[in-house]
Amino acid sequence: MTRRRLAAAVLIASVCAVSIPSTAAAAYSYGSRPMKLGSQGKDVRKLQRNLTTLGYPTTVDGVYGITTRKSVKRLERKRGWKLDGRVSRKDAARIAAENRRDVREAK
C-alpha cells in the first residue's frame, strides 16, 4: 500500500509540474537569452511571429518545439548560418533586423 501511495504522489507531482507554466520562462525579453528546443516564453512567441513574417510559417504558442526548430533550421540553411536549430542572442538580433527590413520593404 505504501508503494502505491508513493507512486500516486510522484505521478500527481509530475503532472502538476508539467501543467503549470513557468513564470520565469515568460519573463524573458526577445534576444535576452539563447533559445532552443524546450524554451518557453514571450521571447519564443516573438521569434515564432518573426519566423512567420519572414516566410517560415510557425505556430505562435510560446513553446520552442519541433516545428519551431524546423523553421529555424530552414532559415539557417537559406541564410547560410550555422545549422543547429538554436537561436543565439546574435541570431535573434539578425532575425529581428531582417524582419524589420522585410516589413519596411513591404510598405
Side-chain angles (χ1 to χ4, degrees), residues 17-29 33 40-43:
V18 170
S19 64
I20 298 172
S22 170
T23 55
Y28 290 106
S29 62
R33 65 172 175 156
Q40 296 182 26
K42 291 180 181 180
D43 56 340

Side-chain angles (χ1 to χ4, degrees), residues 10-11 19 30 32 35 42 53 58 76 80 82 87-88 96 105:
V10 169
L11 178 64
S19 64
Y30 183 76
S32 67
M35 291 175 273
K42 291 180 181 180
T53 302
T58 309
E76 291 170 337
K82 179 181 176 186
V87 177
S88 67
E105 289 174 1

Side-chain angles (χ1 to χ4, degrees), residues 22-78:
S22 170
T23 55
Y28 290 106
S29 62
Y30 183 76
S32 67
R33 65 172 175 156
M35 291 175 273
K36 61 183 179 181
L37 201 59
S39 297
Q40 296 182 26
K42 291 180 181 180
D43 56 340
V44 176
R45 288 177 96 75
K46 177 70 173 170
L47 168 66
Q48 292 166 332
R49 281 192 295 272
N50 284 340
L51 290 168
T52 299
T53 302
L54 291 171
Y56 304 94
T58 309
T59 302
V60 180
D61 60 4
V63 178
Y64 197 116
I66 298 296
T67 306
T68 303
R69 185 170 184 244
K70 285 181 181 178
S71 294
V72 168
K73 283 184 139 185
R74 287 177 41 225
L75 173 79
E76 291 170 337
R77 190 174 293 114
K78 176 102 176 181

Side-chain angles (χ1 to χ4, degrees), residues 88-99:
S88 67
R89 290 178 178 148
K90 179 181 174 183
D91 294 336
R94 291 194 289 185
I95 291 168
E98 285 194 32
N99 192 39

